[in-house]
Amino acid sequence: MKMLQQPVWMLRALAVLAGGASVMGCFSNRQNEGAKLYETHCSNCHGAKGEGLKRLIPPLAGSDYLTKNRQGLACLVRKGLKGPLLVNGVEFNQVMPPADTHLTDSQITNILNFVQTSWGNQGEIFTIREVSEQLRGCGASDGR
Protein backbone atom coordinates (compact mmCIF):
# COMPACT_ATOMS: atom_id res chain seq x y z
CA MET A 1 0.00 0.00 0.00
CA LYS A 2 2.85 2.35 0.83
CA MET A 3 4.38 1.80 -2.62
CA LEU A 4 1.13 2.87 -4.27
CA GLN A 5 0.91 6.13 -2.29
CA GLN A 6 4.40 7.29 -3.28
CA PRO A 7 3.65 7.53 -7.03
CA VAL A 8 0.41 9.37 -6.29
CA TRP A 9 2.32 11.85 -4.14
CA MET A 10 4.93 12.33 -6.87
CA LEU A 11 2.23 12.84 -9.52
CA ARG A 12 0.56 15.49 -7.39
CA ALA A 13 3.88 17.25 -6.82
CA LEU A 14 4.62 17.22 -10.54
CA ALA A 15 1.16 18.59 -11.31
CA VAL A 16 1.69 21.46 -8.87
CA LEU A 17 5.10 22.23 -10.36
CA ALA A 18 3.75 22.13 -13.90
CA GLY A 19 0.90 24.43 -12.95
CA GLY A 20 3.33 26.80 -11.26
CA ALA A 21 5.58 26.82 -14.31
CA SER A 22 2.57 27.56 -16.50
CA VAL A 23 1.54 30.51 -14.32
CA MET A 24 5.11 31.81 -14.17
CA GLY A 25 5.21 31.65 -17.96
CA CYS A 26 2.19 33.92 -18.12
CA PHE A 27 3.82 36.48 -15.88
CA SER A 28 7.20 36.35 -17.58
CA ASN A 29 5.60 36.81 -21.00
CA ARG A 30 4.01 40.06 -19.79
CA GLN A 31 6.96 41.14 -17.67
CA ASN A 32 8.32 43.55 -20.28
CA GLU A 33 4.97 44.59 -21.74
CA GLY A 34 5.35 48.20 -20.61
CA ALA A 35 8.74 48.50 -22.32
CA LYS A 36 7.42 46.92 -25.51
CA LEU A 37 4.34 49.15 -25.55
CA TYR A 38 6.47 52.23 -24.89
CA GLU A 39 8.77 51.30 -27.76
CA THR A 40 5.81 50.80 -30.11
CA HIS A 41 3.64 53.76 -29.14
CA CYS A 42 5.80 56.38 -27.43
CA SER A 43 9.49 56.16 -28.31
CA ASN A 44 9.13 57.67 -31.79
CA CYS A 45 8.41 61.01 -30.14
CA HIS A 46 9.75 60.78 -26.58
CA GLY A 47 12.89 58.85 -27.53
CA ALA A 48 14.17 55.38 -26.76
CA LYS A 49 15.54 56.60 -23.44
CA GLY A 50 12.77 59.08 -22.66
CA GLU A 51 15.00 62.01 -23.61
CA GLY A 52 12.40 63.89 -25.67
CA LEU A 53 13.43 66.13 -28.55
CA LYS A 54 15.01 69.49 -27.71
CA ARG A 55 12.21 72.02 -27.15
CA LEU A 56 9.70 70.18 -29.33
CA ILE A 57 8.82 67.07 -27.33
CA PRO A 58 9.17 66.90 -23.56
CA PRO A 59 11.46 64.40 -21.89
CA LEU A 60 10.05 61.66 -19.70
CA ALA A 61 13.42 60.82 -18.18
CA GLY A 62 13.87 62.87 -15.03
CA SER A 63 10.62 64.71 -15.71
CA ASP A 64 9.12 66.73 -12.86
CA TYR A 65 5.82 66.68 -14.77
CA LEU A 66 5.34 62.99 -13.93
CA THR A 67 5.28 63.59 -10.17
CA LYS A 68 3.46 66.93 -10.25
CA ASN A 69 0.68 65.64 -12.52
CA ARG A 70 0.32 62.00 -11.49
CA GLN A 71 -3.48 62.24 -11.19
CA GLY A 72 -3.84 63.16 -14.86
CA LEU A 73 -1.26 60.94 -16.57
CA ALA A 74 -3.64 58.16 -17.62
CA CYS A 75 -6.01 60.67 -19.23
CA LEU A 76 -3.10 62.40 -20.92
CA VAL A 77 -2.08 59.12 -22.56
CA ARG A 78 -5.67 58.20 -23.54
CA LYS A 79 -6.86 61.65 -24.67
CA GLY A 80 -3.60 63.22 -25.81
CA LEU A 81 -2.78 66.86 -25.26
CA LYS A 82 -3.08 70.15 -27.10
CA GLY A 83 -1.59 73.31 -25.68
CA PRO A 84 1.37 74.22 -23.55
CA LEU A 85 2.83 72.30 -20.65
CA LEU A 86 5.85 72.92 -18.45
CA VAL A 87 8.44 70.17 -17.94
CA ASN A 88 11.59 70.82 -15.90
CA GLY A 89 11.10 74.56 -16.32
CA VAL A 90 10.83 74.38 -20.13
CA GLU A 91 7.56 75.09 -21.96
CA PHE A 92 6.45 72.66 -24.67
CA ASN A 93 3.54 73.30 -27.02
CA GLN A 94 3.14 70.42 -29.45
CA VAL A 95 0.16 68.14 -29.99
CA MET A 96 0.39 64.72 -28.36
CA PRO A 97 -1.91 62.32 -30.22
CA PRO A 98 -4.50 60.38 -28.20
CA ALA A 99 -4.44 56.63 -27.65
CA ASP A 100 -8.24 56.46 -27.62
CA THR A 101 -8.68 53.41 -29.76
CA HIS A 102 -5.57 51.30 -29.55
CA LEU A 103 -4.51 51.00 -25.89
CA THR A 104 -6.49 49.32 -23.12
CA ASP A 105 -6.55 50.55 -19.51
CA SER A 106 -4.19 47.70 -18.67
CA GLN A 107 -1.75 48.66 -21.41
CA ILE A 108 -1.77 52.30 -20.28
CA THR A 109 -1.00 51.08 -16.76
CA ASN A 110 1.97 49.10 -18.05
CA ILE A 111 3.30 52.05 -20.06
CA LEU A 112 2.97 54.42 -17.11
CA ASN A 113 4.74 51.96 -14.82
CA PHE A 114 7.55 51.52 -17.32
CA VAL A 115 8.01 55.29 -17.52
CA GLN A 116 7.74 55.67 -13.72
CA THR A 117 10.61 53.23 -13.18
CA SER A 118 12.92 53.91 -16.14
CA TRP A 119 15.78 56.30 -16.89
CA GLY A 120 16.32 57.21 -13.25
CA ASN A 121 12.64 57.95 -12.57
CA GLN A 122 11.53 56.71 -9.17
CA GLY A 123 7.81 57.33 -9.36
CA GLU A 124 5.17 55.40 -7.50
CA ILE A 125 3.77 52.42 -9.39
CA PHE A 126 0.21 52.66 -10.75
CA THR A 127 -2.39 49.96 -10.17
CA ILE A 128 -4.89 49.05 -12.86
CA ARG A 129 -7.63 50.25 -10.49
CA GLU A 130 -5.99 53.67 -10.13
CA VAL A 131 -5.58 54.06 -13.89
CA SER A 132 -9.17 52.94 -14.59
CA GLU A 133 -10.46 55.42 -11.98
CA GLN A 134 -8.45 58.24 -13.58
CA LEU A 135 -9.79 57.25 -16.99
CA ARG A 136 -13.39 57.09 -15.74
CA GLY A 137 -12.87 60.61 -14.39
CA CYS A 138 -12.17 61.90 -17.91
CA GLY A 139 -14.75 59.62 -19.54
CA ALA A 140 -12.15 57.40 -21.14
CA SER A 141 -12.03 54.02 -19.37
CA ASP A 142 -12.53 50.98 -21.56
CA GLY A 143 -12.76 48.64 -18.57
CA ARG A 144 -9.96 46.43 -19.86
Side-chain angles (χ1 to χ4, degrees):
M1 186 81 163
K2 225 176 194 182
M3 295 295 278
L4 191 57
Q5 287 178 346
Q6 188 174 4
V8 171
W9 175 83
M10 288 180 73
L11 287 174
R12 287 182 183 161
L14 287 173
V16 168
L17 288 174
S22 172
V23 169
M24 290 306 288
C26 291
F27 288 118
S28 62
N29 289 341
R30 296 190 65 167
Q31 180 179 0
N32 297 318
E33 185 177 25
K36 292 173 187 170
L37 289 165
Y38 176 86
E39 182 180 341
T40 301
H41 300 285
C42 312
S43 67
N44 284 341
C45 295
H46 290 285
K49 296 181 181 173
E51 69 275 14
L53 182 61
K54 308 249 183 218
R55 290 184 169 266
L56 294 175
I57 299 172
L60 299 175
S63 170
D64 64 348
Y65 189 87
L66 297 175
T67 54
K68 291 179 181 178
N69 298 282
R70 178 182 172 84
Q71 295 306 315
L73 294 178
C75 290
L76 185 135
V77 172
R78 171 81 80 217
K79 297 281 197 173
L81 178 71
K82 294 178 185 174
L85 77 149
L86 196 63
V87 178
N88 299 338
V90 177
E91 186 174 298
F92 295 86
N93 196 3
Q94 295 294 319
V95 173
M96 179 176 152
D100 264 336
T101 59
H102 61 276
L103 292 175
T104 65
D105 293 8
S106 176
Q107 290 173 319
I108 290 173
T109 304
N110 287 325
I111 290 171
L112 289 174
N113 285 335
F114 173 73
V115 170
Q116 290 285 78
T117 60
S118 297
W119 318 299
N121 293 338
Q122 297 179 349
E124 184 181 340
I125 296 296
F126 285 89
T127 64
I128 183 67
R129 174 176 281 150
E130 179 183 10
V131 167
S132 291
E133 286 174 7
Q134 281 188 26
L135 292 170
R136 274 193 295 278
C138 63
S141 176
D142 69 1
R144 296 181 289 147

